[in-house]
Amino acid sequence: MNPLQTTLLGVNLKNPVIAASGTFGFGAEYLQFFDPSMLGGISSKGLTLNGSQGNEGVRIWETPSGMLNSIGLENPGVRRFIAEEYPKMRAISAAMLVNLGGHSIEDYLEGAELLNGVDLDILELNISCPNVKSGGMAFGMDEDLAAEVVSRVKSLSRHPLLVKLTPNAPNIVSLALACEDAGADGLSLVNTFLGMAIDIGQKKAVFRNVNAGLSGPAILPIALSMVHRVAKAVKIPVVGLGGIMTWRDALSFLMAGACAVQVGTASFADPLAMPQIIQGLRLYCQSEGLKNIAEIVGAV
Amino acid sequence: MALILSNECVGERVFLMKLQGLRAAPGQFYMLRPQERLSAPLLGRPISVFDADEEGLSFLYHMVGQGTALLAAKRAGEEVQAIGPFGNGFRFADRDLSVIGGGIGIAPLYYLLKEWKRRFPARKTEAFLGFSLESFMVSAFEDVSGRCQVNIGGFVTEDAPLAPGPLHVACGPLPMLRAAQKKAEGNGAELDLSLEARMACGAGACLGCSCATVAGNRRVCKDGPVFSAREVLL
């Protein structure tokens, strides 16, 4: 028996390690380093209905133990994704999460409707992108707005619905409860924290949008605390993410109550981060005599 | 991790690091980090391959920030994390070659010239190298190009004829690339550009290095870093 075998929203995962949206393309970018079918799942680059060229200017900025990004959801759009990327992504035998963002409720609904036409495993609703001017994170900052988009997408989508939350919400536990009440099947948290950088030579913000999204190990303790509080408050499954670099980090999120984790920035620093995390979790189960990793979920 | 065979200062804040046992084609790059992940800096730095031999690869880099300063402090016998090779590299064709390098942008051109000379010994090669204050690595370029002209403090794109006939390849700061692109277009010359960009992954996943082209956005790391001057919108 594979001690890492788990399920998320009724979907079988080989292991609880999922590539985070926006850090793994559509699954093919790291083929040079490892077979992505070994992952528990892959969450696609965030899609918007009509696609986007993304943001102008600087998009990446390293910070102490982290990085700011302002990509701005550069993506091919839902229709082109379905035509060009979906068949290749589906051929990978990891669970397939499709991340869907939007600028309006109508965008989300039309995108979700189009995605009803394909055989993905989990729809990850992105109400947390900090880098787009309209919509995006705005839907995840306000509990009523979040509940509305979640309930309307849920009533229309045939796929299990994972809602990705922003840590910038005034109260992430209330937001999580609002999404649960609105029909979310699960929650993933956290997306990036709003941050900024200033070019002191130019006396200007580094990013055109001024604010960008902070990720990496710098945010781990805050993300872990949020996952812990949310997992205690809701009954639906929680996927934890935020600065996971090692199997110890991943284990911390599982002990905090996440039933699976997502890994993002670590893959940028080291393409083999996820295979190493999976191996570390496997060895942990062996050395602790766990029949299944689920035994430690929520241990803290 | 890759073993450092040497790491020498070869100019003002310019270093040449040789790493054991790596392979790459001319124009490709690696993501180099002074230590394994978890410690700062978090991300690798995209560094061009300067040269290759049976022992490994050499990387020419400019010490500009904390990441490259930590690389510069490394000594032979220590290790760095080297992930790659990334990118498509330069194209080869049996014709004359003229390269234009500006500052640290000369880095990928040496290996290109050397390989061109080996593959097409009958072809003419020339190098136009521009530096703002002080030149570096010029004698190495003289060894692998038929002609090598250096410009300090001026505009190297004024020296280079960028005329039809040879394949032209340019690498350097954005204003230099723009000037070369404009001149080549006016002359009807064929020019390839090797672009530099901030990037987190090098592998095509983060989309931090997107550049605009006539065919939409392309990734400098995965679709480049070498592009035809006709396609990129600088």
Side-chain angles (χ1 to χ4, degrees), chain B:
Chain B
M1 299 295 279
L3 180 69
I4 301 171
L5 297 174
S6 60
N7 190 23
E8 296 162 9
C9 183
V10 295
E12 177 70 26
R13 301 173 81 82
V14 178
F15 291 79
L16 185 67
M17 178 183 279
K18 186 165 188 184
L19 299 178
Q20 190 178 49
L22 306 176
R23 291 286 170 271
Q28 289 190 300
F29 67 95
Y30 273 72
M31 298 295 279
L32 299 186
R33 273 167 31 97
Q35 54 271 92
E36 277 190 276
R37 75 189 144 84
L38 265 189
S39 42
L42 178 68
L43 303 171
R45 300 294 185 265
I47 308 284
S48 285
V49 173
F50 176 79
D51 191 15
D53 62 22
E54 59 287 347
E55 288 181 320
L57 296 179
S58 303
F59 298 87
L60 188 70
Y61 60 99
H62 190 192
M63 190 174 77
V64 286
Q66 290 175 17
T68 45
L70 288 165
L71 284 177
K74 289 279 178 178
R75 297 284 167 263
E78 296 183 293
E79 290 183 317
V80 291
Q81 186 190 53
I83 298 169
F86 291 117
N88 291 319
F90 296 112
R91 61 186 163 127
F92 284 84
D94 190 357
R95 59 196 286 195
D96 294 344
L97 173 69
S98 178
V99 306
I100 307 167
I104 198 64
I106 69 170
L109 302 175
Y110 174 82
Y111 188 17
L112 172 65
L113 284 163
K114 185 174 127 175
E115 193 59 16
W116 205 279
K117 195 177 164 186
R118 189 184 68 78
R119 291 197 202 182
F120 317 116
R123 293 298 180 180
K124 279 194 271 187
T125 56
E126 58 184 4
F128 297 90
L129 308 179
F131 303 92
S132 53
L133 294 170
E134 187 185 296
S135 67
F136 46 85
M137 301 306 286
V138 170
S139 62
F141 276 85
E142 285 167 347
D143 292 342
V144 294
S145 47
R147 176 179 170 225
C148 182
Q149 189 174 328
V150 174
N151 185 319
I152 296 176
F155 294 102
V156 68
T157 47
E158 289 174 5
D159 301 340
L162 280 157
L167 175 66
H168 301 268
V169 176
C171 184
L174 204 51
M176 188 203 97
L177 296 184
R178 286 196 184 112
Q181 186 184 38
K182 195 175 168 198
K183 188 167 175 178
E185 194 188 351
N187 291 348
E190 200 174 348
L191 171 68
D192 284 355
L193 304 174
S194 179
L195 303 187
E196 187 180 42
R198 283 180 188 279
M199 50 186 76
C201 69
C206 76
L207 305 184
C209 65
S210 284
C211 70
T213 76
V214 291
N217 280 359
R218 291 287 177 270
R219 298 162 295 183
V220 170
C221 66
K222 191 118 178 174
D223 305 315
V226 183
F227 295 93
S228 165
R230 293 199 181 97
E231 65 180 320
V232 286
L233 306 169
L234 296 176

Side-chain angles (χ1 to χ4, degrees), chain A residues 166-233:
Chain A
T166 170
N168 303 303
N171 183 333
I172 199 159
V173 174
S174 314
L175 177 71
L177 289 167
C179 291
E180 181 181 38
D181 287 346
D185 298 306
L187 303 170
S188 50
L189 63 147
V190 298
N191 204 320
T192 55
F193 286 78
L194 270 193
M196 77 179 283
I198 290 176
D199 182 331
I200 56 171
Q202 307 250 1
K203 299 190 183 78
K204 271 169 50 180
V206 163
F207 296 102
R208 293 271 174 99
N209 283 355
V210 182
N211 288 305
L214 179 68
S215 65
I219 70 167
L220 186 144
I222 323 176
L224 188 63
S225 160
M226 288 179 167
V227 166
H228 187 241
R229 283 180 277 144
V230 166
K232 291 267 186 265

Side-chain angles (χ1 to χ4, degrees), chain A residues 22-24 29-30 32-33 45 53 58-62 66-67 71 74 217 245-246 265 268-271 273 276, chain B residues 33 37-38 41-43 45 81 83-86 198-201 203-210 216-217 219 222:
Chain A
T23 65
F24 210 71
E29 309 310 342
Y30 287 98
Q32 172 181 359
F33 297 96
K45 172 70 191 169
Q53 295 289 304
V58 173
R59 289 181 168 194
I60 297 281
W61 193 261
E62 183 156 337
M67 60 176 276
I71 307 299
E74 177 176 339
M245 301 296 281
T246 67
T265 302
F268 296 156
D270 184 346
Q276 285 165 0
Chain B
R33 273 167 31 97
R37 75 189 144 84
L38 265 189
L42 178 68
L43 303 171
R45 300 294 185 265
Q81 186 190 53
I83 298 169
F86 291 117
R198 283 180 188 279
M199 50 186 76
C201 69
C206 76
L207 305 184
C209 65
S210 284
N217 280 359
R219 298 162 295 183
K222 191 118 178 174

Side-chain angles (χ1 to χ4, degrees), chain A residues 131-199:
Chain A
N131 292 326
V132 290
K133 283 218 171 81
S134 57
M137 192 176 80
F139 289 97
M141 295 292 284
D142 181 290
E143 288 154 30
D144 295 336
L145 211 50
E148 186 183 356
V149 68
V150 168
S151 73
R152 291 182 66 181
V153 170
K154 178 63 193 170
S155 67
L156 174 150
S157 178
R158 71 180 182 94
H159 302 297
L161 188 65
L162 185 69
V163 179
K164 188 167 181 180
L165 305 182
T166 170
N168 303 303
N171 183 333
I172 199 159
V173 174
S174 314
L175 177 71
L177 289 167
C179 291
E180 181 181 38
D181 287 346
D185 298 306
L187 303 170
S188 50
L189 63 147
V190 298
N191 204 320
T192 55
F193 286 78
L194 270 193
M196 77 179 283
I198 290 176
D199 182 331

